[in-house]
Amino acid sequence: MHTPILSIITVCYNAGHVLPKTLESVLPQSFTCFEYLIIDGGSTDDTLSLLKQASGQFARRQISFRYISEPDQGIYDAMNKGTRAAKGTWLLFLNAGDLLAGPRILEQIFSEPSSGSVIYGDTLCVYQNKEKLYPALPLKNIIREMAFCHQSALIRRSLLLEQPYDTSYKICADHHFFLSMYLKEKAFDYRPVPVSVYEIDGYSDRNKLTAHREQHRMQKELHVFHPTMSWFLRECIFYAKQLVKSVGGQKIIDFVRQKRLQ
């Protein structure tokens, strides 16, 4: 098989209920100069049987398919393990349950060479069967928030070998990495196409406060934490929203999301 240009990496644990649709979005890609690497945390459900079955399907398309199944220390530890095991020049992390946006998306991305360190695009977000395109934000926004979805970004493997994800961050290690690269003036190459489909499952909402604290921590660590009046106003709005969600519960969360996806 050819040497892959890209390594698609899926980290998972007991994800047998969502993994098939991710596999099915990767398998029919018109661009096949990639490998697919699954980093499984030692699943006890039917994940391994699904991977054994998928191995033959990818082999018939002459796409390299590998998986590692053993305990890890969490999602970012698993991603770092995938980085070390990968063979591609570029890495794309696609979580179990996430999809590539179409069968020709990799062909679109690699039809135009990139001298950048990160290639990123837009994201289709889905919640309760409603779908909406979320374009990437202006890159300067990365100082205070993720400007694009992690699953819609391709990263040069050499960068992550030099600076792996910081596993002391439980939610925002990807944001920390991209912000570090931005501050080091690495080149980001934007492609105005949806790269991935991300299904909102509630995890991020249940961990908003932790993520918010981690963002403050990384800003201080990277010396971009500069409180201003506008910062103070954003903080007030953020905590007001968290208060409303804590009082209203899942119903208010569902209502807000449905409004956003209209």
Side-chain angles (χ1 to χ4, degrees), residues 226-239:
H226 304 300
T228 61
M229 285 303 296
S230 60
W231 172 87
F232 181 74
L233 177 59
R234 288 195 301 269
E235 289 293 292
C236 291
I237 293 172
F238 172 82
Y239 283 105

Side-chain angles (χ1 to χ4, degrees), residues 30-223:
S30 56
F31 176 92
T32 60
C33 193
F34 69 92
E35 66 169 349
Y36 194 20
L37 180 59
I38 310 288
I39 306 297
D40 175 66
S43 291
T44 56
D45 65 353
D46 61 345
T47 294
L48 291 184
S49 62
L50 288 170
L51 296 179
K52 290 174 182 177
Q53 180 181 350
S55 181
Q57 296 173 318
F58 279 87
R60 285 190 286 276
R61 294 214 63 210
Q62 297 186 310
I63 298 171
S64 175
F65 180 88
R66 295 181 288 142
Y67 61 89
I68 299 169
S69 183
E70 60 187 21
D72 53 54
Q73 300 302 311
I75 186 170
Y76 293 113
D77 178 57
M79 288 180 177
N80 287 337
K81 185 186 299 183
T83 297
R84 294 190 297 270
K87 297 179 180 178
T89 302
W90 294 92
L91 305 179
L92 171 61
F93 291 96
L94 194 68
N95 292 337
D98 298 331
L99 314 175
L100 291 175
R104 300 180 67 87
I105 186 58
L106 297 182
E107 180 184 344
Q108 286 180 268
I109 291 171
F110 287 106
S111 64
E112 181 181 339
S114 176
S115 59
S117 297
V118 177
I119 301 172
Y120 68 101
D122 304 327
T123 305
L124 291 166
C125 288
V126 178
Y127 185 67
Q128 294 183 345
N129 298 317
K130 292 184 179 180
E131 183 178 278
K132 183 177 180 179
L133 176 66
Y134 276 79
L137 299 173
L139 192 56
K140 64 182 181 180
N141 286 36
I142 204 167
I143 291 176
R144 68 171 187 265
E145 61 185 324
M146 275 291 282
F148 49 83
C149 185
H150 190 192
Q151 293 91 319
S152 293
L154 287 75
I155 309 160
R156 286 197 183 271
R157 178 172 176 257
S158 57
L159 287 186
L160 272 169
L161 287 174
E162 292 172 7
Q163 183 177 319
Y165 291 120
D166 184 344
T167 56
S168 69
Y169 289 92
K170 303 306 178 185
I171 298 174
C172 297
D174 51 341
H175 189 180
H176 176 269
F177 170 81
F178 288 121
L179 178 55
S180 297
M181 296 303 107
Y182 175 78
L183 295 174
K184 290 179 180 179
E185 299 185 339
K186 300 294 184 180
F188 285 70
D189 183 2
Y190 171 61
R191 305 292 174 86
V193 294
V195 177
S196 68
V197 181
Y198 170 67
E199 186 162 357
I200 303 170
D201 63 1
Y203 178 82
S204 59
D205 270 297
R206 292 193 299 272
N207 293 275
K208 282 285 189 185
L209 286 173
T210 301
H212 196 66
R213 295 187 186 107
E214 287 194 350
Q215 286 175 342
H216 284 179
R217 176 189 155 198
M218 80 176 73
Q219 289 167 346
K220 292 174 182 176
E221 178 186 325
L222 298 173
H223 309 293

